[in-house]
Amino acid sequence: MKRLCELKLFMQLGMKSNKKGFSIVEMVIASSIIVLAAVAFLPVFSFVAQAGRQNKERLTASTLASSVIEEIRAMDYDDVGTEGGNPSGSVPQQEKRTIDGVEYIINTSIDWMSAKGKDGRTNDIAYKRVRVTVKAPSAFSGSVQKLDEIHSIVSREGEEPIYEAGGIRVIIRNAKNEPYMGQTFTIDIKNKSGTPANSYYGPTIDGEKYFGIIPQGKYVVKVEVPEGINAIHDEIIEDGWVVRDDVVVVNWQTTEVIVYMDREENLCDLYLNMVDNISEDIIREGGQLTLTWSMDERSAIVLGGKVFTVDDLDDATKEDGELHYASLIPDFFGKLWPLGRYSIKIENVPLYRTFDMNAGGVIKTDDGEDWGGAFNGIGQKLYSSAYIKPQYLFYSNEEIKLEKNYPDPLIISDIYGKMPNEDISAANAFDNDDETSWDIIRGDPKEEKEESVCIEINEVKQIGKIRIKLAADYKFHFTFYGSNEYGKFNDKIFTQENIETKDGVYEVELEPDKLPAPYKYYKIEIKLTQENHINEVSIVQIDLFDETAYGYINPRVELYGPIDLSRYSPAPRLIINWESSTPGGTEYDVYTAITNSEDEEPTLWSKANKGQDVPGITEGMDYTGKYLWIKEELNTKKEKETPIRSKLYIEIME
């Protein structure tokens, strides 16, 4: 028996010694799995905890709301109202209570409700509606949210008496012309006499608020504009409130105050460009625009003669990817309403008549339909074009006169290079040799380079023209000085910056009213600046011409055309006119002609009379396939006199 026990013990010990335990690696892996599983469940545990806390807060909010309702039910009917509200009473419109570290916001609104009496008439103060909402920070997000809301009705036993007073019903409507739901607006009403007892405030419910038993008189009604909300055009906004002054309350009557407000995304955008109604070309000019709005008996000037320039015209991309060229965009107009009607007037567009929708001006939408000034619905983006009548069939305000014929350039008797910044190599610009040049080189692009040369002519002369020949087309600054005493160049005759040459030549003819006094010494200054992005200017030749030695080249003929008359058929009345000066011995004449082809230059011309009908064009006639040509002739019998034309135009008469 003993050996048997020993054997069993030996076997047990042997078996135990052969068993393998957990290695350290296995224990680490097992621990990691347990930790990962625990971590995976942490959000669940957190959510469960937050949900529990949220449910507790909802229960507390419900209890608070119910307690307020019970307090109100315990009041006498006449005492049921809010502090500063209408109906008025002792119930706070808002109060805060902290329970278990959570701050609860209790909002109470008490409003009059209407009902029909036994006589069939509507009583706007038939009973009172009570609404209590409780808000608190969310256990999940921390943001304040509504946790509970209770509605109740309080009524008097029997019918509410009719008081010798009136009422104000404030109605907030949206861009669909519907009651503004889902947004609370604060209303503030004050008697204009300043009596505190006749002042009320309170929030809207479902887009309106009724203030009853208000003494007869005048009141100021204010509606707070919430952030992100726009009021309609004719409202007066003061410090974030819509203000209606002089609201009259009459006994036994209810005065309605309707205010329109909505969010920007529900308002409309207008894109408008201008089109020539004859050529249908896009007009890229500035002007002034007046935008008016009207709805029923309400109206407002939205934009009163707002100035716009070419820089305000943008090529707007439409939703289909097409471009709406040269358009005034919504930033110019501001947000517009889908209620009411707009009218547009455009003035002072160069060469065009005033456009006015109220006077028959046509605006077309991008689908070719006439736009009457009303949007189709909320959030509409409208791309449109105002078709503007041109005032002129032809217009030129370039000054035209006979060209001067200068004799040979003045002879330069001496060139000086002794003054600061003067470069004696500038003599190459006066040697009548195209193989040599005055090279002005700027070594450092970050610095300005300036060089000058002083010259002396044989005798005192008045310079009328300067011509500079360059080896290439470069930009530079040019300044011209004169003096009768060498070294004292204080008289600046002419200066021009960022000169762009034409075919390697820079030529300036000094205006008669800007001609310098006669000088013997002249200084020419050339400057390269950082703005030019050019490091070298090579001047081949500089010539100066005596103003007193010129003579006019006679005659001068200018030809304009062909102008296609097809688009003007049947022809309107066309008046040709011009502005010119013709000193004695000079002549300025205008001729017109009509051809059957744009490639056919006229051989027969008719002389036009200033301020008269264009020769050969009769109002109402069809000129399809016809072309108008205009010719100017300038002549002089005096060497020093020239006719000057400052403006030539053909006006389209209405």
Side-chain angles (χ1 to χ4, degrees):
M1 187 68 178
K2 182 178 180 182
R3 286 184 59 84
L4 181 59
C5 291
E6 289 176 351
L7 179 61
K8 290 175 68 176
L9 178 61
F10 173 78
M11 291 176 66
Q12 290 175 354
L13 291 173
M15 290 175 65
K16 188 174 182 180
S17 63
N18 289 333
K19 285 184 179 179
K20 293 183 179 180
F22 290 107
S23 68
I24 293 177
V25 174
E26 291 173 326
M27 293 180 67
V28 169
I29 292 173
S31 300
S32 299
I33 293 172
I34 294 171
V35 170
L36 289 173
V39 169
F41 278 98
L42 280 177
V44 177
F45 299 148
S46 176
F47 176 81
V48 171
Q50 290 174 334
R53 188 162 63 251
Q54 183 83 341
N55 289 335
K56 181 181 178 182
E57 291 173 2
R58 288 186 182 277
L59 181 60
T60 302
S62 177
T63 302
L64 289 172
S66 298
S67 66
V68 173
I69 291 292
E70 291 304 318
E71 290 174 7
I72 292 173
R73 286 175 178 170
M75 294 179 178
D76 291 337
Y77 179 80
D78 290 334
D79 295 332
V80 175
T82 56
E83 296 176 352
N86 184 287
S88 63
S90 59
V91 179
Q93 292 198 33
Q94 185 180 93
E95 58 179 321
K96 297 179 180 180
R97 297 183 189 178
T98 301
I99 300 174
D100 294 335
V102 178
E103 184 179 69
Y104 295 86
I105 303 170
I106 306 169
N107 292 312
T108 304
S109 64
I110 301 175
D111 298 276
W112 294 108
M113 299 300 293
S114 62
K116 285 188 177 181
K118 294 179 180 179
D119 57 1
R121 293 192 303 173
T122 298
N123 183 359
D124 287 319
I125 54 172
Y127 59 94
K128 301 174 183 179
R129 178 178 62 183
V130 181
R131 183 180 71 168
V132 179
T133 61
V134 181
K135 298 180 180 180
S138 168
F140 294 99
S141 65
S143 61
V144 175
Q145 64 178 21
K146 183 169 64 177
L147 298 180
D148 197 62
E149 179 173 308
I150 298 179
H151 293 250
S152 184
I153 291 175
V154 180
S155 61
R156 185 192 299 275
E157 292 185 8
E159 289 192 7
E160 183 74 22
I162 303 298
Y163 295 91
E164 188 176 351
I168 297 176
R169 175 175 283 108
V170 181
I171 302 172
I172 313 298
R173 302 186 75 84
N174 60 20
K176 292 182 178 180
N177 204 7
E178 298 172 345
Y180 204 126
M181 312 291 284
Q183 174 73 51
T184 298
F185 297 88
T186 301
I187 314 297
D188 184 17
I189 297 179
K190 287 184 172 58
N191 189 295
K192 294 201 72 172
S193 66
T195 305
N198 295 333
S199 298
Y200 319 93
Y201 74 94
T204 60
I205 295 179
D206 297 336
E208 71 174 68
K209 172 74 175 177
Y210 182 79
F211 297 84
I213 317 180
I214 295 180
Q216 182 170 285
K218 291 184 178 180
Y219 292 80
V220 177
V221 177
K222 298 169 68 175
V223 183
E224 188 175 23
V225 182
E227 186 176 353
I229 300 289
N230 285 25
I232 209 163
H233 299 300
D234 62 337
E235 299 292 3
I236 298 173
I237 310 295
E238 294 180 0
D239 299 325
W241 293 73
V242 169
V243 179
R244 292 287 188 88
D245 207 354
D246 290 335
V247 175
V248 178
V249 174
V250 179
N251 288 339
W252 324 114
Q253 296 180 18
T254 294
T255 300
E256 282 194 349
V257 176
I258 301 176
V259 177
Y260 289 87
M261 289 198 272
D262 212 328
R263 298 189 177 277
E264 283 195 0
E265 56 264 30
N266 292 330
L267 304 184
C268 301
D269 291 330
L270 177 63
Y271 297 80
L272 177 71
N273 63 12
M274 300 176 293
V275 175
D276 186 308
N277 82 330
I278 299 294
S279 67
E280 296 193 348
D281 293 332
I282 299 294
I283 301 171
R284 297 180 182 271
E285 295 285 355
Q288 284 181 283
L289 186 144
T290 297
L291 178 67
T292 57
W293 167 86
S294 61
M295 183 177 70
D296 300 328
E297 297 181 357
R298 304 173 65 163
S299 63
I301 298 175
V302 182
L303 301 175
K306 184 175 180 179
V307 175
F308 62 92
T309 67
V310 175
D311 293 336
D312 293 314
L313 306 179
D314 288 340
D315 294 339
T317 303
K318 298 188 289 186
E319 294 178 359
D320 60 4
E322 296 290 327
L323 289 177
H324 194 255
Y325 294 101
S327 176
L328 290 171
I329 61 175
D331 286 346
F332 179 85
F333 295 101
K335 286 293 185 178
L336 304 181
W337 279 73
L339 301 176
R341 176 184 175 274
Y342 292 91
S343 181
I344 293 174
K345 184 177 182 180
I346 304 174
E347 304 171 277
N348 299 327
V349 178
L351 309 184
Y352 286 87
R353 297 196 180 276
T354 295
F355 171 90
D356 191 347
M357 288 180 69
N358 289 331
V362 175
I363 290 182
K364 291 184 178 293
T365 62
D366 57 350
D367 57 6
E369 298 293 326
D370 288 357
W371 185 57
F375 291 93
N376 292 334
I378 64 171
Q380 183 185 5
K381 294 182 184 296
L382 182 70
Y383 296 89
S384 59
S385 301
Y387 283 75
I388 305 181
K389 295 179 180 179
Q391 186 173 356
Y392 303 99
L393 181 142
F394 172 83
Y395 187 92
S396 171
N397 62 353
E398 178 187 1
E399 184 177 86
I400 301 294
K401 59 184 178 180
L402 295 175
E403 295 183 0
K404 289 181 178 179
N405 180 29
Y406 286 94
D408 293 335
L410 291 170
I411 297 174
I412 308 301
S413 61
D414 207 349
I415 300 172
Y416 301 92
K418 302 175 183 177
M419 298 182 65
N421 298 324
E422 293 175 357
D423 186 353
I424 196 63
S425 69
N428 292 332
F430 300 91
D431 60 2
N432 296 314
D433 185 353
D434 288 354
E435 299 299 322
T436 62
S437 61
W438 173 18
D439 297 326
I440 304 170
I441 301 172
R442 180 174 57 174
D444 186 350
K446 296 182 180 180
E447 295 181 357
E448 293 187 349
K449 176 68 174 180
E450 178 184 308
E451 291 189 10
S452 61
V453 61
C454 297
I455 57 176
E456 180 183 352
I457 56 180
N458 288 334
E459 56 183 301
V460 174
K461 292 289 185 181
Q462 188 177 44
I463 303 300
K465 181 179 178 180
I466 306 165
R467 183 174 63 207
I468 301 177
K469 186 177 180 181
L470 283 70
D473 294 341
Y474 291 132
K475 287 185 178 181
F476 59 93
H477 296 352
F478 171 82
T479 307
F480 190 48
Y481 301 87
S483 176
N484 283 317
E485 182 179 354
Y486 178 74
K488 294 184 178 180
F489 291 98
N490 297 322
D491 295 341
K492 183 186 292 186
I493 299 172
F494 177 80
T495 186
Q496 185 176 355
E497 296 185 351
N498 292 320
I499 296 167
E500 294 189 38
T501 62
K502 182 178 181 181
D503 298 328
V505 175
Y506 168 59
E507 192 170 88
V508 57
E509 187 172 317
L510 300 176
E511 297 294 330
D513 59 341
K514 297 180 181 178
L515 285 174
Y519 295 110
K520 185 173 179 61
Y521 300 97
Y522 290 94
K523 178 181 176 181
I524 295 172
E525 181 180 273
I526 305 293
K527 181 187 290 186
L528 305 181
T529 71
Q530 297 179 38
E531 299 174 355
N532 291 329
H533 306 294
I534 298 297
N535 295 323
E536 180 177 352
V537 170
S538 296
I539 298 176
V540 175
Q541 184 68 32
I542 299 177
D543 291 321
L544 307 180
F545 296 88
D546 182 3
E547 172 63 21
T548 62
Y550 76 90
Y552 283 109
I553 302 173
N554 193 48
R556 178 174 179 177
V557 177
E558 295 291 333
L559 188 65
Y560 307 96
I563 300 172
D564 188 357
L565 295 176
S566 299
R567 62 183 62 173
Y568 299 95
S569 292
R573 187 184 180 196
L574 300 175
I575 300 296
I576 189 166
N577 218 329
W578 57 83
E579 295 177 9
S580 64
S581 63
T582 51
T586 67
E587 294 178 349
Y588 171 76
D589 295 305
V590 180
Y591 300 85
T592 64
I594 297 175
T595 62
N596 295 320
S597 169
E598 59 183 332
D599 300 321
E600 173 191 349
E601 286 199 17
T603 56
L604 183 63
W605 293 89
S606 299
K607 187 174 181 179
N609 294 313
K610 179 179 170 67
Q612 299 298 314
D613 292 336
V614 174
I617 296 182
T618 303
E619 182 179 0
M621 296 294 290
D622 184 6
Y623 289 90
T624 302
K626 306 291 184 180
Y627 297 88
L628 174 67
W629 300 74
I630 306 168
K631 181 174 69 171
E632 296 177 284
E633 287 189 0
L634 294 83
N635 290 276
T636 184
K637 296 178 181 179
K638 294 185 177 181
E639 186 181 15
K640 297 293 185 180
E641 296 289 351
T642 178
I644 300 174
R645 188 272 282 172
S646 55
K647 188 182 295 184
L648 172 65
Y649 56 92
I650 296 177
E651 187 171 6
I652 304 171
M653 308 306 293
E654 290 189 315

